[in-house]
Amino acid sequence: MRYLFFLILTISLNNIQDWILENNLFQHKFSLDYLQIPWHFLAMPFLYMFLIHYLNLAKKAINILKIILPLFLIIVVIQIIFVYHYSVTIKTSIQKLDYIYEKYTSFEEMFSLLVSLSIFSYSFYILYKKEKMFPKILSFDNLKWIHTFFKLTTIGYTLWILALIIKIRMNFTGFIFSYYPLRVYTTLLIYWLGYQGLKQIRILNERKQIRELLLLVVNSNINFTKTTKLNTKNTTSKKHEIQFLEIDTFINHNKKFLLPKYTLLNLSKDTKLSSSTLSLIINNIAGKSFTDYLNEKK
């Protein structure tokens, strides 16, 4: 999850930097007037790193940060050299320097956009075209929120491209308003990502526990006899036994078994446990599927 944190951080730093410049909080300070760090250059690489680790593909994929981080530092150094050349060596006027600097950063921004879109497209390919590579993960993890993030990011790219087009058409002056929709949108995206990050951390331990039990079953080649059933029950944690009693009490007390269409998803919403965890608990403790378990109560 650290890569998801860095993704949120880079978007936040980019927005904070623009807000400081827009409000002239450090007007005429060289470090902010003429050193706009391209944090947006790092956003998609962190998304890619998060994705390959989240899907357990890190060992098979390229560590793109080994390429992007040095390139990011080179871009910052080039920007410093560029400004130093025009402000000190040539002694360009402030007004002209502003124009030259905005023109230069626009080309820098276009390069960042192309790199970012390339990494975004490849990440999209990994998620949508190679899902068959990780069926075990899909058995327990809901990737819908990642699919939603890709859709939301596409809207963000559209706003970014429009802002850059307006900036160029206005000859790099008076264009700042074109970035307002993008800043507002990315700020909302930050909050949404933060919520999803906390949610995924909450279910991370559940996912690890399920995977361990799955590996135990696969590697042991358990024969489903009475003896092996007892052994399997012994491996089930006390926590799951207690949870099953709570689930059973809840269903009986609220007479949920009388409802015509009460599904595992409904139970998940009522108990605040994931559907995969509920299925595992009922299968291991009751020895039957959720549907059979519920039908027997009718």
Side-chain angles (χ1 to χ4, degrees), residues 163-181:
L164 194 55
I165 290 173
I166 293 173
K167 181 179 181 181
I168 295 172
R169 289 183 66 87
M170 294 187 68
N171 199 25
F172 312 103
T173 57
F175 60 85
I176 195 66
F177 71 91
S178 65
Y179 283 85
Y180 290 164

Side-chain angles (χ1 to χ4, degrees), residues 135-149:
K136 291 182 181 178
I137 295 174
L138 290 175
S139 299
F140 306 114
D141 293 350
N142 185 356
L143 300 182
K144 183 178 179 180
W145 74 277
I146 300 182
H147 295 176
T148 302
F149 175 70

